[in-house]
Amino acid sequence: MTLDPHHSTRNAPVWIAEAGGHHAVLAFSGTLDSHALQVLEELLMDPRLREPTHWTLEMSGLENIDLASAFALMRAVTRAPEPVSLTVRGARPAVHRVLRHAGLDTVVTYAE
């Protein structure tokens, strides 16, 4: 797996923390809303996410997510050329509710 060496210089609410082989970790912090939606959508098209078939979404640092961002995650998973399994780790109750409203409960496993 490779760590994203550029994250420390970015102030993005989402970044690829690890990617390699069949596993990728996307880390989230702060607020993921309409202002950050383009950042999220561009990240989800990153070539490093093409090979991994399992993504872990580390959301312990995420305070809030809007429905548009949650739908973007759902689209990325359901439209991937290869099936992607998803684990959400550390989501706060408010974040979990939004993910559920977007339908992610049908394709995600939750972990503490």
Side-chain angles (χ1 to χ4, degrees), residues 5-46:
H6 304 292
H7 176 258
S8 59
T9 60
R10 295 183 189 161
N11 193 15
V14 59
W15 64 96
I16 298 172
E18 300 174 13
H22 295 290
H23 188 243
V25 176
L26 283 68
F28 297 77
S29 67
T31 298
L32 194 55
D33 58 13
S34 61
H35 300 292
L37 184 57
Q38 183 176 355
V39 172
L40 173 63
E41 289 177 333
E42 288 174 6
L43 179 92
L44 293 171
M45 294 173 40
D46 190 297

Side-chain angles (χ1 to χ4, degrees), residues 46-66:
D46 190 297
R48 294 175 291 172
L49 296 177
R50 288 188 190 137
E51 184 181 342
T53 55
H54 181 80
W55 297 357
T56 298
L57 307 182
E58 176 54 62
M59 295 189 157
S60 58
L62 188 63
E63 296 172 18
N64 190 23
I65 185 171
D66 69 0

Side-chain angles (χ1 to χ4, degrees), residues 72-112:
L73 289 170
M74 181 69 159
R75 279 191 308 274
V77 171
T78 58
R79 293 181 181 170
E82 297 294 325
V84 173
S85 66
L86 206 61
T87 300
V88 171
R89 189 169 52 211
R92 298 169 192 228
V95 170
H96 187 142
R97 270 191 304 279
V98 174
L99 296 177
R100 186 177 63 244
H101 288 311
L104 275 157
D105 278 6
T106 62
V107 296
V108 72
T109 301
Y110 290 94
E112 290 302 313

